[in-house]
Amino acid sequence: MPDPAPTQTETQTQGDRPPPRLGRFVLIAASLFALVLVAGTLLRLHARHQLHAETLAATIPTVTIVHPGGMVPDRLVLPGRLQAWYSAPVYARTNGYLRRWYVDIGQKVQQGQLLADIDTPDVDQQLAAARAALATRTAQRDLARITTRRWDRLNAQNAVSQQETDERRGNFAASEATRHEAAAEVERLETLSDFKHITAPFTGIVTSRATDIGALIVAGTAAAQPLFTVSDVARLRLYVSVPQAYAARIQDDMVVAFTVPDYPGRTFQAHLIRSSNAVDPQSGAMLVQLVYDNGENLLKPGAYAQIAFTFPGTDATAGTASSPVRVPASSLLFRRDGTTVATMDSSHHVKIQPITIVTDFGTELEVTGLPPQSAVIDNPRDDLRDGDEVRPQDTTHGT
């Protein structure tokens, strides 16, 4: 039996319904729009949170952390010059011509050994004349003495007056004084004549000779040159200027190592015998004298040397806040309260630590008042305060 025909009302209802495919499209579009809206909102929130985090991070300064170093043995190398224990330039004390020299440079000589002879004809003539004058004065003195004795006997017999006797006694006294004067002149010229023999003042070696046979010798002038130089090299002096930063560590009887270019790779030992105990205001250093026993005669006076002072230190790992440690000079902060450094605690907050400088080594400082396990901030900002939060760099290094 055929279906009944739809009524008018049913026909209108079916005409109002949208097609099934169009509804699904609208639903998908709405879902996509909602998804885009949610994603955009989440991205904006994430970007805002990230910007806030970066802004907060920018306010926290990034710092470089260094750890104090221990007072390891300090080694100070300074230049110096070796000098002979004694060194005497030998001059002539009389005029003349060099007759002969007996020693040359490098030769060993003994005290009093003859070095050279000088021909002194002028002094020889003067000495001969002085001896003749002394003989004359001696004869006159003897005659005056005999005359005085005769007048004394005559005066005892009242044969002559007392006045005449006193005059004879006066003549004798004057003759005696004149004779003493002539004898003194002879002794002077004999001493001057002895200077024609140049001798070594002490045992040593001849380090220079500045004359030759026939050379004119003029003594007692500013232009006079030493004929020889004799040096005692059994021991050598070593003078060193120690900077003021190390002056307090210099102690008597210190054993110091030094090297010379003559013997590369070889180290010599010298003993500190004394220091000036004063700092030169011009150089800011203290003069120190060392002595080296040159019994093997290896080293030469006047040679250049490099002296290495070694000062013992302490171990920072076993130290306390009162133990000296080393920090970079760039870590200092100068505040009204004094010299300080900025340290970082375990929670990455700043703590200002007052210190006392013991020794200034230039790029490093030896200080007290700082525990050796401290995390010191290098090149700190001037506006750092206690409690400020900081961020350490990944790379750290110790001093």
Side-chain angles (χ1 to χ4, degrees):
M1 182 174 185
D3 292 336
T7 62
Q8 184 178 1
T9 303
E10 293 175 350
T11 303
Q12 292 177 353
T13 303
Q14 292 177 356
D16 292 339
R17 292 177 180 176
R21 294 180 178 179
L22 181 61
R24 287 194 298 273
F25 176 77
V26 172
L27 180 60
I28 293 173
S31 300
L32 290 175
F33 177 76
L35 183 60
V36 171
L37 182 63
V38 172
T41 302
L42 291 177
L43 288 175
R44 285 194 299 272
L45 290 176
H46 177 70
R48 181 179 299 176
H49 182 269
Q50 185 177 5
L51 178 61
H52 180 68
E54 291 178 355
T55 303
L56 290 178
T59 61
I60 301 176
T62 301
V63 295
T64 302
I65 299 299
V66 296
H67 299 283
M71 197 179 86
V72 297
D74 298 323
R75 192 169 184 269
L76 177 66
V77 180
L78 297 172
R81 288 282 178 183
L82 291 166
Q83 297 184 15
W85 188 253
Y86 297 122
S87 183
V90 181
Y91 290 85
R93 288 287 289 117
T94 185
N95 300 330
Y97 296 91
L98 190 72
R99 175 183 295 175
R100 186 176 180 183
W101 52 267
Y102 303 99
V103 295
D104 207 347
I105 58 173
Q107 288 187 239
K108 294 183 178 180
V109 294
Q110 300 296 321
Q111 183 177 2
Q113 181 176 338
L114 186 62
L115 304 181
D117 283 329
I118 301 175
D119 189 10
T120 58
D122 294 344
V123 175
D124 294 342
Q125 292 296 327
Q126 293 175 14
L127 178 58
R131 286 173 175 170
L134 175 61
T136 301
R137 300 293 185 272
T138 302
Q140 292 174 349
R141 189 272 317 266
D142 293 342
L143 178 60
R145 181 172 55 228
I146 294 174
T147 301
T148 300
R149 290 175 180 175
R150 289 174 178 172
W151 282 84
D152 286 340
R153 289 196 297 270
L154 293 174
N155 184 46
Q157 299 172 3
N158 294 322
V160 294
S161 65
Q162 184 64 37
Q163 177 64 30
E164 292 175 328
T165 302
D166 292 339
E167 289 178 357
R168 298 302 183 274
R169 291 175 180 173
N171 291 336
F172 171 68
S175 299
E176 183 71 19
T178 304
R179 195 259 178 195
H180 287 320
E181 181 181 2
E185 179 65 12
V186 170
E187 291 179 1
R188 184 186 73 83
L189 290 173
E190 286 177 345
T191 302
L192 191 60
S193 180
D194 289 339
F195 287 140
K196 68 172 67 176
H197 306 294
I198 307 298
T199 58
F202 47 78
T203 301
I205 62 172
V206 178
T207 56
S208 74
R209 177 180 62 83
T211 188
D212 212 337
I213 295 177
L216 175 64
I217 307 300
V218 180
T221 64
Q225 297 293 324
L227 305 182
F228 302 90
T229 300
V230 178
S231 300
D232 180 4
V233 297
R235 291 183 295 173
L236 297 178
R237 302 178 192 266
L238 195 55
Y239 289 98
V240 189
S241 294
V242 178
Q244 182 179 354
Y246 291 87
R249 300 188 182 188
I250 297 299
Q251 300 177 357
D252 292 340
D253 298 327
M254 287 182 64
V255 178
V256 180
F258 70 94
T259 59
V260 294
D262 312 26
Y263 300 94
R266 182 168 180 176
T267 301
F268 301 89
Q269 302 291 331
H271 294 268
L272 193 151
I273 55 175
R274 60 179 57 88
S275 64
S276 63
N277 284 326
V279 176
D280 184 1
Q282 300 296 328
S283 62
M286 181 179 70
L287 185 63
V288 172
Q289 180 183 355
L290 303 102
V291 60
Y292 167 71
D293 186 2
N294 195 31
E296 300 180 28
N297 199 27
L298 296 177
L299 303 186
K300 308 297 186 291
Y304 170 80
Q306 281 192 325
I307 301 94
F309 290 88
T310 301
F311 304 101
T314 57
D315 185 8
T317 59
T320 62
S322 61
S323 301
V325 295
R326 285 192 176 191
V327 296
S330 55
S331 63
L332 289 186
L333 281 172
F334 297 97
R335 302 290 175 87
R336 290 184 300 175
D337 298 335
T339 306
T340 60
V341 295
T343 60
M344 185 188 70
D345 59 18
S346 58
S347 60
H348 294 182
H349 287 82
V350 174
K351 181 180 179 182
I352 303 300
Q353 187 76 30
I355 60 170
T356 300
I357 298 176
V358 177
T359 307
D360 185 353
F361 298 105
T363 59
E364 289 185 336
L365 301 171
E366 189 177 277
V367 302
T368 57
L370 188 66
Q373 65 274 12
S374 302
V376 180
I377 299 175
D378 195 15
N379 292 310
R381 292 166 43 176
D382 292 335
D383 58 351
L384 280 181
R385 296 293 183 270
D386 270 328
D388 288 352
E389 185 178 359
V390 292
R391 181 187 299 106
Q393 285 184 349
D394 292 337
T395 58
T396 61
H397 65 278
T399 59

